[in-house]
Amino acid sequence: MSDNLRKPLVAGNWKMNGNLALVAEFNHALASLNVNAEVVVCAPSSLLHGFETGSFSIGAQNVSHLDNGAHTGELSVDLLKEAGCGYAIVGHSERREDQNESSELVALKAKKCVSAGIVPIICVGEPLEVREADSVEAFVSKQLAALVDTLSVDELSKTVIAYEPIWAIGTGKTASPEQAQDVHEFIRSYFSKVDAQLAQGLRILYGGSVKPDNAETLFAQKDVDGGLIGGASLKAEDFISICQAAN
Ligand code: PGA
């Protein structure tokens, strides 16, 4: 994180975990958090009303690309804003897989977020077989191409990218700092072909088994601007120490 144009960001992704007791614990533990990084907790939407934000922000884990209407079970950007969300994760690999979300749909969701002033944290990343076949750049390029086709440079500048190799998510197998840096650098260079200034300012988070003991080395990489944290974001103490590592 040598480029101080980019403020570090650490986002917790609680996934389908947590309860109001954990929300209360986080409110208490994070109240005096004072780090030189943006801190976001992306909890299940039904818990969002319980957070006392101030030292941190809250985010959703998904959002609809549509405005409103007959779409049972979906949440619009307006509903998320009313719930206090400043961020929304879009295109997490679990949703790309479980809900068959395409890169084109993910791009529409990101665009909708930007239009409402919500920062989309857009996830990209390859499965193990793609890494083993040495095709990471081609795979990630396709995911990024959909974004570039759908969002303007100005819109892209209001997004955050999260590189999450699927083989590292929830497995305890973190990408090495070099593996992370290589892909982050590739992602930045991809955007620099679109617009050099955009690429310089774009925050690229790493996600996949980030823990208190590996966060600092990962975040120290030149093109790693923070992290998207799953399992370790469910323990206030661990999450706080990861936020401090981004300082
Ligand atoms: P993990 O999850 O930290 O538990 O690997 C990261 C994510 O899925 O965002």
Side-chain angles (χ1 to χ4, degrees):
M1 274 173 302
S2 59
D3 195 333
N4 47 21
L5 276 177
R6 305 192 293 267
K7 185 163 189 185
L9 171 61
V10 177
N13 176 10
W14 282 15
K15 308 191 180 183
M16 201 167 70
N17 297 299
N19 50 35
L20 282 174
L22 191 65
V23 172
E25 201 181 309
F26 267 64
N27 285 338
H28 181 72
L30 271 63
S32 55
L33 186 70
N34 185 11
V35 289
N36 184 27
E38 273 171 54
V39 175
V40 185
V41 178
C42 300
S45 301
S46 61
L47 298 178
L48 291 173
H49 68 280
F51 284 100
E52 290 156 14
T53 54
S55 58
F56 65 100
S57 305
I58 51 173
Q61 299 174 12
N62 176 43
V63 62
S64 174
H65 64 296
L66 302 167
D67 285 327
N68 54 37
H71 307 289
T72 304
E74 292 293 302
L75 291 175
S76 68
V77 287
D78 287 346
L79 289 166
L80 293 182
K81 277 194 85 171
E82 208 163 53
C85 286
Y87 298 78
I89 298 171
V90 300
H92 192 282
S93 58
E94 286 152 17
R95 293 196 60 85
R96 287 182 190 257
E97 199 167 311
D98 298 352
Q99 269 73 34
N100 272 321
E101 289 191 0
S102 67
S103 292
E104 289 66 34
L105 178 63
V106 171
L108 289 176
K109 288 177 183 230
K111 192 178 177 78
K112 184 56 81 180
C113 285
V114 171
S115 75
I118 291 177
V119 178
I121 300 173
I122 308 163
C123 302
V124 299
E126 80 286 356
L128 185 60
E129 60 273 19
V130 168
R131 174 150 295 260
E132 285 174 346
D134 222 0
S135 309
V136 177
E137 294 186 0
F139 187 90
V140 171
S141 294
K142 276 198 194 143
Q143 295 179 318
L144 299 178
L147 298 175
V148 170
D149 287 348
T150 307
L151 284 84
S152 68
V153 169
D154 182 55
E155 287 170 329
L156 288 168
S157 73
K158 295 171 181 147
T159 70
V160 170
I161 305 292
Y163 169 59
E164 297 207 307
I166 296 171
W167 48 271
I169 295 177
T171 58
K173 280 189 210 150
T174 321
S176 70
E178 296 73 28
Q179 284 174 322
Q181 169 56 26
D182 282 353
V183 183
H184 281 234
E185 192 175 341
F186 169 74
I187 293 172
R188 200 174 304 287
S189 74
Y190 185 96
F191 284 106
S192 75
K193 288 181 202 123
V194 179
D195 186 279
Q197 211 181 333
L198 162 71
Q200 264 317 300
L202 192 66
R203 287 181 294 180
I204 308 174
L205 314 184
Y206 169 78
S209 297
V210 179
K211 308 285 177 213
D213 63 357
N214 60 24
E216 202 169 321
T217 339
L218 285 161
F219 297 168
Q221 303 305 305
K222 188 163 80 61
D223 290 295
V224 177
D225 304 309
L228 182 55
I229 322 299
S233 75
L234 290 165
K235 268 198 200 151
E237 199 189 331
D238 288 357
F239 187 58
I240 288 170
S241 88
I242 293 170
C243 294
Q244 284 161 345
N247 235 339

